[in-house]
Amino acid sequence: MVLTPAQARLMDDQAHAARAMWNQLHDLWTMTPKCQRSLSRLDQTLRQARKEIDWYAVLPAQAAQAVLKTYVQAWKNCWDGRAEEPTFKARIRSAMSVDIPQGRDLQIKRVHRRWGMVSIPKIGRVRFRWTRDLPVGKAANKENRITGARLVKDALGWHIAFRIQTLQPPPAPHTGPEVGIDAGVNLPLALSDGNHQDHGRPARLPDGSADRDKWLTPDEKAKLLRLEQRAAHRKSFRKPKERTSNRLRNTYDQIKQLRARATRRALDWQHKTTTAIACTYGTVVVERLTITNMVKSARGTVENPGKHVAQKSGLNRSISQEAWGRTVTMLTYKTARQGGTLHKVPAPHTSRRCSACGFITPGSREDQATFVCKNSDCGWEGNADHNAARNVLHLYRMRHALIPAAGRAVVRRTRGVKPATAR
């Protein structure tokens, strides 16, 4: 979105008001006894707060109601086991966003092949980049229309995402082949048929350490290093409890812009790669990984200190940078959209077992990328990630796919919390 400085300040005020309203609802919910929690009580408190607190008036009434509905839905997701409990939204760590729940308030108009105009409540007409077709004008009807939008701010500025209601026929069954996928660090996605997917750039530096800025060009890496050194130099002059200077804040903003550019490039690669896989293969098989346990620190305690802490922290950073969970999420809904299916198989020993003979022989995996079967009757050798991908597909063909209980995902609830249907 292209906002004037005055419009940008108004958008920031609305986002901060929405965040403060979320925190107020959270405090009220946690302080209220369980027997007295209700949607009507929260709604009544929200209306009273808008009358007594002046700066809540910058947020439209519809956006305030959207905050309330989002907070209640967050608790429902927690009770059903789909998400964690809602928490307090801090000013620094929270993403700034504003919801526009009614599509009729937008009044979208296309003025150019690349640009369009949209009306934001209490902001006015704003120009935005037209990136895909939208059902506006004669193309809009009851079955295909825009129902609302959401404004989100990142390091590159404000963005608008439209919610579209449309009817789509169920996809035809995908007749493509089966494929097993092993997620890694050096080789992001290893496929069982050898059609591996990588980033097209080295994952490690010449000294062998992981490159945390691999999505940036050499010039951008040099600029990022200069900005980080400049920020550290300017921060050294700041006294305790002193306000951050404008120069230091501007340096931080430039660092955030470079980080956001790298994140957008990684997300773009994930979308393109998962779309190509979903369109090519009818059955996709992945490992069921507990990523939260894989990225735990090896520091240990004072009594029992950990070993190889620096190496483990670098591996944890590389795993988090690859975002395996987001890749599986994309493959889940994209394969369903194309008429295919996604299955998960148990992860233990897929990297240690030989895909040719099926035996686990100690010492077969010589290093991170080389697998040589030490079985005297086999001797198969190849890429270790490719071997793991073949094992993943073999587990599915042997009917070892994990089947959710009762036809839906198995959830874990806090002890004493009843499911939504029981309540």
Side-chain angles (χ1 to χ4, degrees), residues 37-62:
R37 295 173 181 173
S38 63
L39 180 61
S40 59
R41 181 183 178 88
L42 293 178
D43 181 63
Q44 183 180 1
T45 306
L46 181 62
R47 294 176 185 272
Q48 186 68 21
R50 287 180 55 83
K51 294 179 181 179
E52 297 179 357
I53 303 177
D54 297 337
W55 48 273
Y56 270 169
V58 299
L59 189 66
Q62 294 82 2

Side-chain angles (χ1 to χ4, degrees), residues 70-92:
T70 304
Y71 182 78
V72 174
Q73 184 62 39
W75 274 110
K76 292 181 180 180
N77 295 338
C78 174
W79 294 331
D80 294 340
R82 296 191 297 268
E84 299 294 334
E85 293 185 2
T87 58
F88 180 86
K89 287 190 175 182
R91 182 183 182 92
I92 299 177

